[in-house]
């Protein structure tokens, strides 16, 4: 049964982000349940983002044409299932679990830049509304973090890996649904003329936007790795932490839904400025409050610190020539969502045992630096 591109993207985003909603906040918790310490967890998660960077760059760069994306996604999806299943059997050995997480991170990271490349191709091909398709992924993240977070609180942290195996299995099955029309190249010679990574980074606007995205996305590192541990150490139940994560993603969903209208007259760099300022405010305030209602308010800023930036970058990539889009998407995903998060996660792992307060102040400083990197000239192409 063939489905429309919007439906295919909705299913793909739902499957991936439902699993991701459990993976990001609860993989560190599962590692803790396997008797690993916070410093070791920080090191493992930081290295996983480095491997996500390598996988996010390597696998998409092997895809030369738009009609190859779907096959690559299906292969990677089933590799996710195989490797995360292996993780369940090697948890008692640090080096084996390290290797398993590294391999999983590489194959898992390639899924989103390739799916977003499908979306940007369909944006040009059939004028697909990216924001409304992407919000399905955000909604799925809420399902993952709240529904399964509550389930984890009820049945125990040792079952986190079993839940992840089932969810990534669902994602792999959903990838097998065939879309119609399939993504197609505008120019049959686009694969031969694909722009290299080095050539892309020589363009000042590309480089400055990617560096700014690295600083803003990277500033989420302390939150991604330590927020659940940070909150539970202050007496907040695991079930409540999942609701706090869910609240942030609900705010993200609302922004994606209204993004077309909200940012119709905004330049790309103006949205970047908004995101950087919101991130500085969020992490600076985060480090000073333990009150649940204040944390809940700060979680709403996720709509600006993550969603607005992601929307702006995808919009910018969609404006570029097709022979540059897949690799520019890979650079953004690999550098901003993986490499910078890896570096700042490692830094957070050093700082957290000394002062959890300073972890978030360092994240605030990263967001402030981004304000000076964003191109000042309005960027729309």
């Amino acid at each position: 049964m063939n489905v429309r591109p919007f439906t295919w993207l909705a299913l793909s985003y739902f499957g991936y982000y439902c699993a991701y909603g459990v993976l990001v906040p609860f993989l560190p918790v599962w590692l803790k349940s396997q008797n690993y310490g916070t410093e070791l967890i920080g090191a493992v998660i930081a290295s996983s983002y480095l491997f996500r960077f390598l996988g996010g760059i390597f696998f998409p760069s092997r895809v030369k044409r738009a009609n190859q994306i779907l096959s690559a996604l299906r292969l990677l999806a089933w590799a996710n299932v195989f490797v995360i299943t292996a993780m369940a059997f090697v948890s008692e050995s640090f080096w084996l679990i390290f290797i398993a997480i590294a391999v999983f991170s590489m194959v898992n990271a390639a899924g989103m830049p390739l799916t977003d490349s499908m979306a940007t191709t369909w944006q040009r091909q059939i004028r697909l509304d990216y924001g409304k398709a992407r919000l399905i992924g955000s909604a799925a993240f809420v399902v993952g973090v709240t529904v399964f977070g509550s389930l984890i609180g009820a049945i125990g942290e040792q079952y986190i890996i079993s839940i992840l195996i089932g969810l990534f299995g669902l994602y792999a099955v959903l990838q097998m649904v065939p879309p119609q029309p399939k993504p197609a190249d505008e120019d049959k010679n686009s694969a031969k003329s694909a722009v290299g990574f080095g050539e892309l980074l020589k363009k000042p606007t590309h480089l400055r936007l990617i560096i700014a995205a690295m600083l803003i996305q990277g500033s989420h590192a302390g939150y991604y790795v330590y927020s659940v541990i940070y909150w539970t150490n202050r007496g907040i139940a695991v079930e409540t932490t999942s609701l706090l994560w869910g609240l942030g993603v609900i705010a993200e969903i609302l922004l994606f839904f209204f993004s077309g209208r909200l940012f119709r007259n905004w330049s790309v760099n103006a949205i970047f400025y908004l995101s950087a300022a919101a991130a500085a405010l969020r992490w600076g305030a985060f480090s000073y409050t333990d009150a649940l209602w204040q944390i809940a308010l700060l979680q709403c800023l996720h709509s600006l610190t993550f969603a607005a930036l992601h929307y702006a970058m995808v919009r910018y990539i969609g404006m570029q020539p097709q022979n540059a889009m897949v690799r520019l998407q890979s650079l953004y995903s690999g550098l901003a969502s993986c490499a910078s998060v890896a570096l700042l996660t490692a830094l957070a792992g050093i700082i957290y045992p000394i002062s959890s307060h300073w972890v978030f102040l360092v994240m605030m400083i990263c967001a402030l630096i981004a304000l000076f990197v964003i191109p000042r000239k309005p960027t729309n192409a």
Side-chain angles (χ1 to χ4, degrees):
M1 179 185 70
N2 293 329
V3 298
R4 294 180 300 125
F6 182 90
T7 304
W8 188 91
L9 278 175
L11 291 171
S12 183
Y13 283 133
F14 181 88
Y16 185 91
Y17 281 105
C18 189
Y20 204 62
V22 177
L23 180 73
V24 174
F26 295 114
L27 183 60
V29 178
W30 178 71
L31 290 172
K32 187 179 178 183
S33 77
Q34 304 301 305
N35 300 314
Y36 293 107
T38 55
E39 290 183 59
L40 213 53
I41 291 170
V44 170
I45 300 301
S47 64
S48 76
Y49 281 107
L50 177 60
F51 286 107
R52 290 185 72 84
F53 162 69
L54 295 173
I57 293 293
F58 175 76
F59 290 112
S61 69
R62 304 299 96 190
V63 177
K64 303 296 184 182
R65 306 187 66 85
N67 60 12
Q68 297 173 337
I69 298 175
L70 184 59
S71 297
L73 279 169
R74 288 171 173 171
L75 181 61
L76 290 166
W78 286 108
N80 280 332
V81 180
F82 175 79
V83 180
I84 204 164
T85 301
M87 285 168 56
F89 293 96
V90 299
S91 61
E92 293 183 1
S93 168
F94 171 76
W95 288 110
L96 289 178
I97 195 68
F98 178 87
I99 293 168
I101 290 175
V103 175
F104 173 78
S105 299
M106 290 182 68
V107 297
N108 181 255
M112 272 309 98
L114 285 173
T115 304
D116 282 340
S117 294
M118 292 265 283
T120 51
T121 300
W122 275 326
Q123 273 185 311
R124 297 163 72 113
Q125 190 176 335
I126 60 170
R127 298 189 178 277
L128 180 135
D129 188 332
Y130 173 79
K132 289 184 178 177
R134 179 58 178 76
L135 71 83
I136 302 297
S138 300
F141 192 97
V142 173
V143 172
V145 77
T146 56
V147 174
F148 291 99
S150 298
L151 179 62
I152 289 163
I155 66 175
E157 297 167 355
Q158 67 272 24
Y159 292 103
I160 290 171
I161 198 71
S162 299
I163 291 170
L164 284 170
I165 292 169
L167 291 175
F168 277 109
L170 173 64
Y171 167 63
V173 170
L174 292 175
Q175 293 293 335
M176 304 308 293
V177 177
Q180 189 62 38
K182 291 182 171 67
D185 292 297
E186 293 174 353
D187 179 2
K188 292 183 179 180
N189 296 317
S190 62
K192 297 179 182 178
S193 61
V195 181
F197 291 120
E199 189 176 345
L200 289 171
L201 291 175
K202 287 179 182 178
K203 186 171 181 180
T205 302
H206 288 352
L207 180 61
R208 294 185 70 168
L209 285 177
I210 287 174
I211 293 173
M214 289 175 68
L215 288 163
I216 300 168
Q217 294 276 35
S219 75
H220 291 69
Y223 167 70
Y224 289 156
V225 180
Y226 289 115
S227 61
V228 174
I229 296 171
Y230 178 78
W231 290 329
T232 53
N233 286 343
R234 281 155 178 75
I236 299 175
V238 171
E239 295 90 335
T240 305
T241 66
S242 69
L243 293 174
L244 288 171
W245 269 74
L247 178 62
V249 184
I250 287 169
E252 175 186 316
I253 291 168
L254 290 173
L255 187 133
F256 278 129
F257 185 81
F258 293 108
S259 56
R261 279 176 277 179
L262 284 174
F263 297 127
R264 181 179 300 141
N265 298 317
W266 286 57
S267 64
V268 167
N269 62 320
I271 304 173
F272 265 68
Y273 278 120
L274 175 65
S275 182
L281 172 62
R282 184 183 183 189
W283 309 131
F286 199 99
S287 66
Y288 284 103
T289 181
D290 291 333
L292 187 59
W293 70 270
Q294 292 174 343
I295 295 172
L297 286 176
L298 292 174
Q299 285 297 86
C300 294
L301 288 177
H302 195 69
S303 61
L304 301 179
T305 64
F306 172 76
L309 174 77
H310 185 71
Y311 170 82
M313 196 68 201
V314 170
R315 190 172 93 178
Y316 178 74
I317 292 168
M319 296 171 181
Q320 307 311 307
Q322 192 175 35
N323 65 345
M325 289 195 319
V326 171
R327 290 194 173 179
L328 189 55
Q329 183 71 51
S330 298
L331 278 176
Y332 161 60
S333 180
L335 292 173
S337 299
C338 302
S340 63
V341 176
L343 292 172
L344 289 171
T345 297
L347 180 60
I350 296 170
I351 297 171
Y352 190 87
I354 302 169
S355 171
S356 57
H357 168 80
W358 267 99
V359 167
F360 299 105
L361 288 181
V362 169
M363 301 301 129
M364 177 192 73
I365 292 169
C366 291
L368 289 173
I369 294 172
L371 290 169
F372 298 94
V373 178
I374 299 165
R376 296 187 180 276
K377 185 178 179 181
T379 303
N380 283 307

